[in-house]
């Protein structure tokens, strides 16, 4: 079975988005379709076709959100500890080339936001980090070439 690892906050975000689609966006699209139907011939009605396309997107997103929520694997971050990097870990890295430090938390795909230093579990960097411990150095292939990092600190929220 396909599961989607996420934090409790990630699940809440998906549930809020689903509620928005069900209570606001879906009804708005239905109104757009009804309004566009009043313009006459549907075969040449650009407004109608645009509204139907928006409806397809809305219904697809609702199905996707429902699927992810029903297959969520919510990880209680307060129970995590230990030296190995796992989902939910907060990792501080040293970029060997630039001598710069950066800290990331490994989260679910829908929670990822680099501006908040939240790294998707399926990203190349997160996949490289999983299972490693403090003090380990590793190379990561990037579009700009190989990067050498050292894991300086591993911690867990809570």
């Amino acid at each position: 079975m396909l599961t989607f690892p996420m934090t409790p906050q990630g699940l809440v975000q998906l549930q809020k988005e689903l509620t928005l689609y069900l209570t606001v966006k879906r009804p708005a699209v239905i109104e757009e379709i009804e309004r566009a139907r009043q313009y006459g011939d549907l075969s040449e009605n650009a407004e109608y076709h645009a509204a139907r396309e928006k409806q397809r997107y809305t219904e697809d997103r609702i199905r996707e959100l429902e699927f992810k929520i029903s297959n969520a694997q919510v990880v209680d971050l307060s129970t995590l500890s230990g030296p190995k990097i796992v989902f939910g870990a907060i990792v501080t890295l040293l970029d060997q080339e630039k001598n710069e430090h950066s800290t990331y938390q490994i989260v679910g795909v829908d929670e990822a936001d680099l501006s908040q230093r939240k790294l998707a579990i399926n990203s190349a960097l997160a996949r490289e980090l999983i299972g490693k411990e403090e003090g380990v150095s590793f190379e990561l292939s990037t579009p700009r070439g190989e990067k050498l990092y050292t894991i300086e600190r591993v911690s867990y929220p809570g």
Side-chain angles (χ1 to χ4, degrees), residues 105-129:
Q105 182 179 16
I106 300 173
V107 296
V109 172
D110 293 295
E111 304 172 76
D113 183 350
L114 282 179
S115 69
Q116 294 182 21
R117 298 299 202 183
K118 293 185 181 241
L119 196 60
I121 184 76
N122 67 349
S123 68
L125 180 54
R127 286 193 319 265
E128 188 66 38
L129 289 169

Side-chain angles (χ1 to χ4, degrees), residues 2 5 27 38 42 56 70 81 111 115-116 118 124 134 136-137:
L2 182 62
Q38 296 171 2
L42 297 182
R56 274 189 289 280
S70 66
S81 64
E111 304 172 76
S115 69
Q116 294 182 21
K118 293 185 181 241
E134 284 181 18
V136 172
S137 294

Side-chain angles (χ1 to χ4, degrees), residues 9-156:
Q9 297 84 0
L11 178 61
V12 168
Q13 287 175 344
L14 289 183
Q15 290 169 331
K16 283 181 180 178
E17 185 180 353
L18 178 59
T19 299
L20 176 69
Y21 270 90
L22 292 172
T23 61
V24 177
K25 293 188 176 194
R26 179 189 268 169
V29 169
I30 291 170
E31 278 184 34
E32 283 183 46
I33 291 171
E34 288 303 315
R35 200 173 322 114
R37 278 188 175 151
Q38 296 171 2
Y39 296 141
D41 184 9
L42 297 182
S43 65
E44 296 181 17
N45 186 331
E47 288 86 1
Y48 176 77
H49 292 290
R52 292 290 295 177
E53 183 62 30
K54 191 184 279 188
Q55 183 184 37
R56 274 189 289 280
Y57 172 81
T58 299
E59 295 303 322
D60 287 348
R61 186 62 180 155
I62 288 170
R63 278 190 297 279
E64 178 183 13
L65 290 166
E66 288 173 338
F67 182 75
K68 286 182 176 182
I69 290 168
S70 66
N71 292 292
Q73 178 187 359
V74 180
V75 178
D76 182 359
L77 302 181
S78 67
T79 64
L80 301 176
S81 64
K84 287 196 187 239
I85 298 171
V86 297
F87 179 89
I90 299 169
V91 183
T92 301
L93 300 173
L94 171 64
D95 181 328
Q96 296 283 350
E97 189 177 299
K98 296 180 180 177
N99 198 30
E100 291 179 6
H101 302 270
S102 52
T103 301
Y104 300 98
Q105 182 179 16
I106 300 173
V107 296
V109 172
D110 293 295
E111 304 172 76
D113 183 350
L114 282 179
S115 69
Q116 294 182 21
R117 298 299 202 183
K118 293 185 181 241
L119 196 60
I121 184 76
N122 67 349
S123 68
L125 180 54
R127 286 193 319 265
E128 188 66 38
L129 289 169
I130 297 294
K132 291 186 170 52
E133 298 181 15
E134 284 181 18
V136 172
S137 294
F138 64 94
E139 272 190 357
L140 180 69
S141 293
T142 71
R144 295 183 180 170
E146 298 295 314
K147 302 278 286 179
L148 181 61
Y149 292 102
T150 299
I151 300 169
E152 291 198 316
R153 185 164 190 262
V154 177
S155 62
Y156 294 91

